[in-house]
Amino acid sequence: MTGMGDRKLLVAVYHPRAARADELGAMVEATGLAVQLLPAHVHGLRPWVDSCFDLLLLNPFLDWQDPFEFVRLARSIAGRRPLLILSDRDSLDDRMVALGAGADDAVGWTGNMPEVLARIASLLRRSRIAAGQLGEGELRIDLIDRRVERAGRLIRLPLREFDLLANLARVPDRPLSRAALLRAVWRIDFDPGTNRVEVHMSRLRAKIDRGFDWPMLHTVKGVGYTLRSRPENAPS
């Protein structure tokens, strides 16, 4: 399953037990999707904030946090991207907790992987990302043809600048760190000690913002970069 040019759709997987996460990730990856395993030893949301993913798959039924609140926090991280909740038990109560807290879907997965994979495929089909479209307000991004328009004006972007914009557009109004963009765009998991992100962001700003009424691309001091979906003083 593809749909984003030469980049596979990315499923971020969280399970509190590492062995189960590995098992789950391998099964998802076997369908042709890319998988990012989120660290199970970090309690909280920090490992997710910098994740550029297309669907979040997680088991929130943990000993150290209330499942309802965990799903609510996960929903805030996922934004408009699909959120599928798993339970090691095929429990109606677990599914009701997950759906009540804001999940798009919920399923018991132990011995039930064909249904889990079918639900992943269904959620991705229904999402705008799987349909090859991104964008907020006057910005439109076609992930298949790598075409960008702002206010009806065609903007031609080279590969790296397009990928930067697409990753920022996946989480509009939320900052992504430099490290997250290095991973997502250059597939680099360490700091190479160069200013490549800054240089490409500068070039991207010149094309996306110059000549328009208000800037969409912003630096968030000490955090990273964000794409704003509306002018700073516009009502939500």
Side-chain angles (χ1 to χ4, degrees):
M1 181 186 303
T2 57
M4 300 197 309
D6 59 359
R7 182 178 181 273
K8 292 180 180 178
L9 289 166
L10 177 62
V11 176
V13 173
Y14 178 92
H15 193 289
R17 291 192 290 278
R20 298 288 268 169
D22 289 341
E23 177 187 1
L24 180 59
M27 291 178 177
V28 173
E29 203 160 37
T31 68
L33 296 165
V35 170
Q36 176 187 357
L37 296 180
L38 301 175
H41 64 279
V42 181
H43 293 180
L45 297 180
R46 184 169 299 278
W48 302 353
V49 172
D50 282 348
S51 297
C52 300
F53 56 83
D54 303 305
L55 180 144
L56 179 57
L57 180 66
L58 65 91
N59 178 350
F61 299 99
L62 314 169
D63 294 333
W64 50 268
Q65 186 162 333
D66 176 72
F68 186 90
E69 292 302 321
F70 198 79
V71 175
R72 283 186 60 191
L73 292 171
R75 174 80 276 165
S76 72
I77 292 297
R80 297 182 182 179
R81 294 168 292 182
L83 171 60
L84 175 57
I85 299 301
L86 302 181
S87 169
D88 289 348
R89 305 170 296 186
D90 191 7
S91 161
L92 175 61
D93 288 343
D94 287 353
R95 295 197 297 274
M96 293 299 290
V97 165
L99 294 170
D104 295 297
D105 201 355
V107 62
W109 80 280
T110 303
N112 196 29
M113 274 307 295
E115 182 179 353
V116 172
L117 297 175
R119 289 173 183 266
I120 291 172
S122 176
L123 287 171
L124 288 173
R125 279 196 305 270
R126 300 204 307 259
S127 74
R128 292 174 62 199
I129 295 171
Q133 301 293 325
L134 283 174
E136 295 289 330
E138 60 189 43
L139 183 69
R140 292 290 177 266
I141 303 171
D142 186 315
L143 296 164
I144 307 301
D145 295 332
R146 291 186 172 271
R147 179 185 176 94
V148 176
E149 292 183 4
R150 181 171 177 184
R153 184 194 304 177
L154 178 64
I155 300 172
R156 300 188 185 280
L157 297 176
L159 176 63
R160 298 301 189 194
E161 291 169 28
F162 181 91
D163 285 348
L164 273 174
L165 181 65
N167 278 287
L168 290 166
R170 284 186 174 86
V171 285
D173 304 306
R174 184 178 301 155
L176 282 176
S177 71
R178 181 175 179 275
L181 292 170
L182 281 169
R183 286 194 300 272
V185 177
W186 285 272
R187 307 295 189 267
I188 295 175
D189 288 319
F190 61 93
D191 189 340
T194 67
N195 64 344
R196 70 179 68 190
V197 175
E198 292 78 4
V199 168
H200 282 81
M201 280 298 304
S202 177
R203 293 172 181 167
L204 182 59
R205 274 199 181 101
K207 297 168 185 174
I208 296 298
D209 289 340
R210 187 174 295 166
F212 293 95
D213 292 338
W214 56 278
M216 300 190 82
L217 296 170
H218 295 262
T219 300
V220 181
K221 190 173 181 180
V223 180
Y225 301 93
T226 189
L227 184 146
R228 290 185 181 158
S229 58
R230 60 183 64 86
E232 195 166 4
N233 298 321
S236 301

